[in-house]
Amino acid sequence: LTTFPTKKSVWVRAAQHEKAHGTRESLDALLRRAVSYCPQAQVLWLMGAKEKWQSGDVEGARAILNEAFRANPDSEQVWLAAQKLESENSQPERARKLLARARERAGTERVWMKSVTLERDLGELESALALLGPALKAHPRFWKLHLLKAQLESRAGQHAAARETLARAVKVCPDCEPVWLAAARLEEAHGAVSKARSLLEVARLKRTGAPQLWLEAVRLERRAGNRKAAMTLMAKALQQCKSAGLLWAEAIAMEQRAQQKTKSSDALKACDNDAHVILAVSRLFWRDRKEEKARSWCNRAVTLDPDLGDAWGNYYAFELQHGTPEQQEEVLRRCVAADPHHGDEWTRVAKDDQSSLGWSAEQLLQKVAENMALGRWTGEALDKMAASSSGAS
């Protein structure tokens, strides 16, 4: 630090060492010195503010961020950190004012996105939709804004407007898979299965090697009760995306029970270190009551991809049924430390803003685990759902 007092990376490593081995006071003192030498190093200001916040000193965190503003007036990171501090401490008006100033000083995609989601989370749909006009004018190719607009329009009952929004989105963001998926799901939700199928076909022509688009097409047919069409599509999908674990996992779940072992072997040959495949195989061991093997494969999945929330949900669901309280607690602890963000079930729960707003990783894990109990995971449940709906009709 004496030799390189203006080198940000040295101060960051020193702060990490102090956090692990020193006291809260010594860390605070070190970070104070750090920002005096490196006032433009946003990460150092944010580390200091976070430490104050986590220790319960909200005013202290606010003071550090105010100093950070003076040193970095156009920093997106500082603006958003300040907004988060106010939002999560029940100060929505302060958060609103901060974001209004941020849009003037640093009107980035993320600043506009946070502005809209703040209004949405406060239940102000009209305000959120009003902000989306200038947001999309400033950033017409930012696909998340298009999806957010369609989502809010759907919630407001403006289904035709949502359809128009997504129609524009696929034109300005033709290479963006989430936009195509949202457009197809909107059509399917309103009974237009043929239109949804057509959209997914066009999407796959533009993005031939996209496993998620193939998976959605397969699941569309499964939800519609067209098992034969789903199997045909899956065969084509695996030809196009030979090493896509996402597809192989679904293929295992789709097979008749007698053929699942063979399909698992094929999947492991194609991609033996893919967390989606390992997750799917762990569920076969779980179903067959081979508990130690199931536990080992559950653990292997989360080790391979700690960011895959579905793997953690699967592991926790297994331990809730077969593990001890200590084993359950250990999976929970490891999941919270990993802080996962991906996976179909995980993102579906995390982004259900009407019920899961502000949930911790622990709360998300418990809900995802509930959804991933044997027979309830989407890959396993779709054929049953289709059969029951056709029986009811």
Side-chain angles (χ1 to χ4, degrees), residues 275-313:
H276 294 93
V277 171
I278 303 303
L279 185 161
V281 174
S282 77
R283 294 181 72 82
L284 300 185
F285 288 131
W286 180 4
R287 181 198 65 197
D288 295 340
R289 298 184 180 278
K290 297 178 179 178
E291 294 175 21
E292 285 311 309
K293 277 193 172 181
R295 180 173 286 115
S296 172
W297 283 67
C298 285
N299 185 60
R300 187 178 165 194
V302 299
T303 304
L304 280 169
D305 188 356
D307 196 46
L308 183 61
D310 289 9
W312 289 107

Side-chain angles (χ1 to χ4, degrees), residues 143-151 153-154 159-173 178-187 199:
W143 61 270
K144 288 185 178 181
L145 288 173
H146 290 282
L147 290 194
L148 189 51
K149 186 169 186 281
Q151 177 199 73
E153 287 166 340
S154 290
H159 303 304
R163 186 177 279 116
E164 286 177 23
T165 295
L166 290 172
R168 281 194 299 273
V170 297
K171 288 178 182 175
V172 297
C173 311
V179 168
W180 288 101
L181 293 172
R185 287 168 185 167
L186 180 68
E187 297 298 342
L199 280 166

Side-chain angles (χ1 to χ4, degrees), residues 177-178 180-181 200 203-204 207 210-218:
E177 294 164 34
W180 288 101
L181 293 172
L200 290 170
R204 293 199 306 279
R207 302 277 295 162
Q212 193 68 51
L213 293 174
W214 282 102
L215 179 63
E216 188 67 20
V218 169

